[in-house]
Amino acid sequence: MIQSTTRRLALTFICLTPMLSALPALAQSYPQRPIRLIVPFPAGGATDLMGRVLAKAVETRLGRPLIVENKPGAGTMTGLNELAGARPDGYTIGMVTSTMVLQPLYGGSRHDYPTTLQPIAQITVTPPVLVTGAETPWKTAKDLIEDAKAHPKKIKYGITGFGNSSHIGPTLLARAAGIEIEPVSFDGGGVLLTALLGGHIAVSAGSTVDYKSHIEAGKLRALLSFGPERSKDPLYKDVPTAKELGYDAEIVSWTGVAAPKGLPSDIANTLGDAFKDAMADGEVRDALHKLGSEPIHLDAAGFGARWASETAKLRVVLTETGILELVKSQRR
């Protein structure tokens, strides 16, 4: 009996040996073909531009092309759904932003993205800024707030959708400052920017990347940052934070890279190392700085922890401001 069992174990070992010996070779061979990088925003926007900077840097480190595929729509859910539904083999990864945390909180998303995606690396932090047209009378945020106090509901601000960061920041500011300003929703950042530059809307809160060239051209004026501290970018370093002015209105937009959950650990490590190395590259950091963003790298563990903490924090903020109920009522 013992001899029979021993023979069976020996045969099993002989059969498995070629498979086991092949595993290290498979791990070392990744990647063997181009990698898709899904961007859930249109081409030319902030996330797309950052993604292309990183794709160029990472593909030189992996030895295979990273092909950017723009999949905009449904408030980023079109691209996020495709990413979440892809095979976790390392050949489909995607850019993710704070929106991946917000969408499941509002309900209606196909996936709970923080639990169905796997973090690879955070690459930037981009605090939204409150801007106004250069022709408006408000030189500072205080000017705007005093005017809003004197004229409730007179000042209208543009947003790119109820419940996103362009809405949350000004809502927090209005609550903290005790003012009433009215949101006007636009179908996309391009339309909103046109309205802002044309004087059809007074103020707006959005990405430093999207506003940078217009501030440099003197067409827009930055009044306030919703970030936890001032930007290091020379263009924004003199813009005070809401906290500095005495208002509890902090919100930060971040950008990173994720994959479908279930990546083999060796592939996850290869990708994590490639993005970490790229983010340590001075040219990459300069390129992200020039776009108007703050290059800040977090590894997979740190980025995943951020997903969890942001989910908890935003759930409280959205509930207390009434934004959660507002967005849910619009979706019923």
Side-chain angles (χ1 to χ4, degrees), residues 102 104-107 163 167-168 171-172 175 310-328:
L102 284 169
L105 293 175
Y106 295 130
H167 182 209
I168 296 173
T171 300
L172 287 172
R175 188 177 67 157
E310 292 274 311
T311 298
K313 177 184 174 182
L314 286 170
R315 182 178 285 112
V316 173
V317 168
L318 298 179
T319 301
E320 289 182 350
T321 56
I323 292 176
L324 185 61
E325 184 54 35
L326 172 66
V327 175
K328 282 186 173 182

Side-chain angles (χ1 to χ4, degrees), residues 53 65 84 123 142 186 188 201 214 226 233 267 283 305 325:
V53 169
I123 59 168
K142 288 286 188 185
F186 288 81
I201 199 79
H214 302 287
F226 290 100
D233 188 315
I267 292 177
E283 290 187 7
E325 184 54 35

